[in-house]
Amino acid sequence: MEATLDNLKSILAASNYKLTAQRKIILQILIDNRGEHLSAEEVYNIVKTEDPGIGLATVYRTLELFCELGIIQQLTFDENCRRYELETGEEHHHHLVCSKCGKVIEFNDEVLEEFESELEKKYSFKVTEHKIKFYGYCEDCQ
């Protein structure tokens, strides 16, 4: 499902939430910055340019709500910062994280997906989720 304001609005409505002006701005920022893995503070800095009246606490509460509703995913690449990405329902992906500059590169790999399938068969185990992150140095920081 492509993440648009209309289908995100319907997800909110299904859980008895309204698409308030503040939520709409935050959703649009996440849509416009798809693949960027923004922190709450980065979302807030963009929000301030759109609506200086929205506080950081509102951004945090809204991101938490969006996580609960499955609109976004919370990602932790280091101990100091949680980042968020829009849940698009597209193919599962993994992350390469630069230990020096913090750059995050998304990738997917059929071998990893096959490995998951083999684990399920071998151990009679149903995998419901997995998160794979590789840490190292990006091309610029090597």
Side-chain angles (χ1 to χ4, degrees), residues 5 11-13 32 39-41 53 59 73 80 84 90 99 104 124-125 128-130 134:
L5 280 175
I11 292 170
L12 286 165
D32 292 346
S39 68
E41 291 79 11
V59 171
Q73 287 184 38
N80 302 320
Y84 301 89
E90 296 170 4
S99 298
V104 178
S124 297
F125 186 85
T128 58
E129 177 182 19
H130 72 262
F134 291 95

Side-chain angles (χ1 to χ4, degrees), residues 51-139:
D51 182 349
I54 298 177
L56 182 58
T58 299
V59 171
Y60 273 108
R61 282 192 306 272
T62 301
L63 292 173
E64 186 177 313
L65 172 64
F66 291 168
C67 284
E68 288 173 18
L69 297 177
I71 294 171
I72 61 174
Q73 287 184 38
Q74 178 182 299
L75 306 165
T76 306
F77 296 124
D78 63 43
E79 297 147 14
N80 302 320
C81 184
R82 289 180 274 176
R83 298 194 170 271
Y84 301 89
E85 75 177 353
L86 207 54
E87 179 58 67
T88 61
E90 296 170 4
E91 197 168 303
H92 187 77
H93 65 271
H94 309 287
H95 300 94
L96 303 173
V97 183
C98 181
S99 298
K100 186 172 182 182
C101 72
K103 180 178 182 179
V104 178
I105 302 166
E106 291 182 356
F107 76 96
N108 70 33
D109 189 326
E110 261 186 50
V111 173
L112 290 172
E113 303 308 318
E114 290 171 14
F115 178 67
E116 178 181 310
S117 181
E118 290 300 317
L119 286 174
E120 288 183 326
K121 289 177 193 169
K122 183 175 181 178
Y123 296 101
S124 297
F125 186 85
K126 177 63 181 157
V127 175
T128 58
E129 177 182 19
H130 72 262
K131 297 176 183 177
I132 297 177
K133 297 174 260 184
F134 291 95
Y135 294 88
Y137 299 99
C138 70
E139 184 176 26

Side-chain angles (χ1 to χ4, degrees), residues 5 18-29 47 50-51 54 58 62 66:
L5 280 175
K18 293 185 180 188
L19 182 60
T20 63
Q22 294 91 342
R23 290 176 183 157
K24 184 175 181 178
I25 290 169
I26 294 169
L27 276 175
Q28 192 61 56
I29 287 167
V47 163
E50 302 273 329
D51 182 349
I54 298 177
T58 299
T62 301
F66 291 168

